[in-house]
Amino acid sequence: MNPINRQVLTLDEFTIQQVRQIPNATGELSTLLRDIGLAAKRINVEVNKAGLVDILGDANATNVQGEAQKKLDVYANTQLMGVLRHGISCAGIASEELDDFVPFDDDISRNSKYVVLFDPLDGSSNIDVNISIGTIFGVYRRVTEQGSAVSEADFLQPGLRQVAAGYVIYGSSTMLVYATRRGVNGFTLDPSIGEFCLSHPNITCPAKGKIYSVNHGNFFQYSAGVQRYINRLQKKGELPTQEPYTQRYTGSMVADLHRNLVKGGIFMYPATFQNRDGKLRLMYECNPFAFIVEVAGGKATDGLNRILNIQPTSLHQRCPLFIGSAQMMEELENCLMPATTTHG
Ligand code: AHM
Ligand code: MG
């Protein structure tokens, strides 16, 4: 019998090693990532109990998007806010579940250099049917001076300015994946020691994949270019890769994107005739994943523009999203170009 490998690095050990490798690093980002790891462990405990305890159901509240919140959304939001507020690296947060950003107004927080934007529990409508859900976050260096309270300008920065982004997937195992410009690394929660352990070092997104993820129910609401691309994916041999494609869509973005990141593939949430900006939130969903996937070698656009270049105008704005393996994204871009209509 193979002995259990206890030599793997925990998230804490890994982030501390990163600090040691960067001259003049203060360790603030590492502390912040470890704080998020702690909140993730607490959220994980409750997500795993979801079928057992009476925590399911609406919290009698709707968020700023007018969507019903599940109780676990509220719990996850509180945990993340709590660790960041009481940590030493975060000056304020914005959350998909809160109407406005929250400045942390104590001496240490006012002097901290980062702000964090997060979706505390994405895909939460899947909780009661036992499908993987996740937490998504993006970290920015504030633009206002340290020592003052943060303002909206600290949050409304293009995704390119993220210094780190990540997600936690509460699935068949619980994983925390985060990216800095140095790379993307994945950590699996070892329940026996209660630690995230480095299991997926240096994740890269394969240049081509076989999976596409999209809500087919909306097909006739998509633009002609998007419909053309989906049709081509379904016809073996129409695209240069000559690969048969497979469609996978759980309705839980973290699960769909985690799979496509590891295996290669494309995820799309296009604009529809009803929702011209799609459904997903630029600041809490699109930007963090665009950062992670780009660091891993993939691409992310809104169909026209690179997601990370978009200058946000409001905290809760929505944005169409096309994201994944570089080669599949290039094929998509060709289909979206008006010049290709003759081949459609
Ligand atoms: P949420 O933030 O309210 O949970 O919604 C986001 C989720 C994504 O995880 C998922 O990709 C998408 O909504 C699915 O939407 P649809 O059911 O319209 O395909
Ligand atoms: Mg969400």
Side-chain angles (χ1 to χ4, degrees):
M1 196 171 75
N2 288 332
I4 295 171
N5 180 10
R6 291 288 185 221
Q7 301 308 308
V8 288
L9 290 175
T10 68
L11 176 65
D12 291 10
E13 289 170 321
F14 181 84
T15 55
I16 289 165
Q17 282 204 3
Q18 297 290 300
V19 177
R20 289 171 64 101
Q21 286 167 21
I22 305 170
N24 306 324
T26 61
E28 275 182 77
L29 181 62
S30 298
T31 309
L32 188 146
L33 290 165
R34 297 203 297 275
D35 289 344
I36 293 175
L38 173 60
K41 283 191 255 184
R42 291 178 175 156
I43 298 166
N44 178 59
V45 170
E46 294 308 313
V47 168
N48 278 312
K49 284 197 299 201
L52 296 172
V53 294
D54 185 26
I55 198 167
L56 287 176
D58 295 347
N60 295 325
T62 51
N63 65 13
V64 73
Q65 316 286 332
E67 294 158 349
Q69 291 178 354
K70 299 284 180 180
K71 283 181 187 171
L72 274 172
D73 286 358
V74 178
Y75 178 82
N77 192 59
T78 308
Q79 289 306 322
L80 278 161
M81 256 178 79
V83 293
L84 293 169
R85 186 192 290 278
H86 298 122
I88 55 167
S89 312
C90 183
I93 60 101
S95 162
E96 189 188 299
E97 299 301 336
L98 300 174
D99 294 359
D100 212 346
F101 67 90
V102 180
F104 295 153
D105 209 10
D106 60 85
D107 277 348
I108 290 179
S109 301
R110 267 198 303 273
N111 280 294
S112 299
K113 64 178 175 204
Y114 296 115
V115 295
V116 183
L117 291 91
F118 53 80
D119 182 351
L121 212 51
D122 182 72
S124 53
S125 61
N126 288 309
I127 294 168
D128 37 8
V129 288
N130 233 333
I131 286 175
S132 303
I133 50 178
T135 297
I136 310 168
F137 62 91
V139 183
Y140 296 76
R141 189 166 287 123
R142 61 186 293 181
V143 292
T144 53
E145 236 171 84
Q146 283 173 246
S148 59
V150 289
S151 73
E152 193 174 54
D154 294 310
F155 296 91
L156 293 185
Q157 301 190 53
L160 198 56
R161 300 244 180 89
Q162 285 169 113
V163 292
Y167 61 88
V168 184
I169 178 166
Y170 310 99
S172 47
S173 60
T174 297
M175 273 189 78
L176 186 151
V177 176
Y178 83 86
T180 63
R181 284 181 205 288
R182 294 160 66 89
V184 185
N185 289 282
F187 302 80
T188 302
L189 185 63
D190 178 348
S192 66
I193 57 170
E195 295 285 354
F196 284 106
C197 296
L198 182 62
S199 53
H200 295 59
N202 291 320
I203 296 174
T204 52
C205 182
K208 51 182 182 170
K210 292 186 176 177
I211 298 169
Y212 72 100
S213 308
V214 70
N215 186 336
H216 263 288
N218 293 335
F219 181 84
F220 292 105
Q221 290 212 45
Y222 297 147
S223 70
V226 173
Q227 290 187 6
R228 187 162 48 243
Y229 177 64
I230 295 172
N231 281 332
R232 287 189 183 188
L233 288 173
Q234 293 173 336
K235 291 185 200 155
K236 188 180 173 200
E238 280 238 347
L239 287 170
T241 48
Q242 302 282 317
E243 301 266 0
Y245 289 95
T246 186
Q247 200 268 356
R248 294 279 181 270
Y249 189 75
T250 65
S252 182
M253 178 185 192
V254 178
D256 285 321
L257 272 169
H258 176 69
R259 181 199 51 239
N260 292 6
L261 176 65
V262 173
K263 293 192 169 182
I266 191 167
F267 173 96
M268 300 176 270
Y269 206 107
T272 61
F273 296 138
Q274 263 168 9
N275 297 311
R276 308 301 310 179
D277 295 321
K279 173 184 183 187
L280 301 174
R281 265 66 62 168
L282 175 64
M283 304 308 288
Y284 312 109
E285 293 162 335
C286 304
N287 270 338
F289 269 113
F291 184 87
I292 296 161
V293 167
E294 281 205 10
V295 173
K299 294 181 81 174
T301 74
D302 66 357
L304 204 59
N305 311 295
R306 182 184 178 200
I307 292 288
L308 295 180
N309 284 342
I310 297 174
Q311 173 61 52
T313 53
S314 77
L315 278 178
H316 293 284
Q317 79 191 68
R318 296 174 193 264
C319 176
L321 178 65
F322 302 87
I323 184 167
S325 294
Q327 193 172 313
M328 292 183 83
M329 285 293 294
E330 278 149 29
E331 289 162 354
L332 167 80
E333 281 157 20
N334 288 337
C335 279
L336 296 185
M337 281 196 303
T340 62
T341 49
T342 49
H343 309 298

